[in-house]
Amino acid sequence: MAEPKMNSEESKVAVSVLVDTSASVSEQDLAQASAVASRIVGDKGRNWVKVIPFGRTTRPVSEAEEKGKLSYTAGAGGRGTDLETALREGMAAMPAGLVPRIALLSDGKENKGSVTRALWQAQQLGVPVDVYPMAGRPKPALRLESVSFPAQAFAGDRFPIEIALEAPRPAAASIDLTAEGKAIGTNAVQLQAGMNRVRVQVALNTPGA
């Protein structure tokens, strides 16, 4: 007489943990995101988990970050947030044959790509996206509205630069101007609460400065 048999299937999960390490997130956000990512890795069991930091592009986790504390993405890569690229590369990184899932930790302040387009693609592929929102950095109290200057200037010429900025309260300030990495002038100004329009005169002493 044959013994009864029970067939069971084990479904392993693949999780791409996308962590926003761009300059727009605060240090507190980054520390909390690191803790969440570490917790997901620690609880993975036999499942597949990969932490993918991103800013303008994704990057591999450094050897130091493997201990659980993520760092900001350095250079130009950290001065932008492309959620679309992060989601696409997170989906592409997961091995076939596992149940896919994405954990996205970000402040949502994208300035490149389209997260809506990437989420639509994830939906079409049947990949759930769990979002862990970050608070992001607080808005700066001093806000630069605009800067205008002549289209051309020649070495030795003095020319005006007009700056519009909004200050929350009266304050003394210093405006440091550079061109191509070279200092071209420093101006002390007294700001008033509200919108300030400042006109400063600068000169280019050498070509290309």
Side-chain angles (χ1 to χ4, degrees):
M1 185 174 179
E3 293 288 335
K5 294 182 179 180
M6 179 180 293
N7 295 324
S8 63
E9 293 184 0
E10 181 182 15
S11 297
K12 294 183 181 179
V13 178
V15 182
S16 286
V17 184
L18 308 176
V19 183
D20 189 343
T21 54
S22 68
S24 68
V25 304
S26 67
E27 292 184 3
Q28 182 179 1
D29 282 336
L30 191 57
Q32 291 176 345
S34 296
V36 171
S38 295
R39 190 160 59 247
I40 294 174
V41 172
D43 294 341
K44 71 177 183 178
R46 299 179 63 188
N47 299 300
W48 182 94
V49 175
K50 183 176 183 179
V51 177
I52 304 175
F54 73 93
R56 187 176 294 274
T57 59
T58 60
R59 63 175 177 82
V61 172
S62 69
E63 185 175 345
E65 290 175 317
E66 289 179 355
K67 298 178 181 178
K69 185 177 180 181
L70 296 173
S71 303
Y72 286 106
T73 296
R79 294 193 292 272
T81 303
D82 189 340
L83 296 172
E84 179 180 8
T85 293
L87 286 165
R88 287 182 183 276
E89 295 193 12
M91 288 185 282
M94 292 183 284
L98 304 182
V99 179
R101 197 172 197 93
I102 286 179
L104 174 62
L105 295 82
S106 174
D107 60 7
K109 297 177 181 177
E110 67 173 344
N111 48 26
K112 185 182 178 185
S114 170
V115 66
T116 302
R117 186 164 52 214
L119 288 173
W120 179 86
Q121 183 185 25
Q123 184 181 38
Q124 297 303 303
L125 295 173
V127 181
V129 178
D130 299 311
V131 178
Y132 298 77
M134 296 179 177
R137 292 184 185 275
K139 292 183 178 180
L142 186 66
R143 186 169 70 249
L144 179 65
E145 293 289 342
S146 65
V147 178
S148 60
F149 46 85
Q152 287 185 324
F154 300 95
D157 288 350
R158 291 185 63 81
F159 59 92
I161 294 180
E162 296 184 354
I163 303 168
L165 49 86
E166 187 173 356
R169 56 186 176 274
S174 176
I175 299 176
D176 299 320
L177 301 170
T178 62
E180 299 293 333
K182 301 176 183 178
I184 59 173
T186 298
N187 295 265
V189 295
Q190 184 64 43
L191 301 177
Q192 303 300 319
M195 184 60 65
N196 293 261
R197 299 190 182 279
V198 181
R199 183 183 177 94
V200 297
Q201 294 285 336
V202 298
L204 296 179
N205 296 320
T206 57

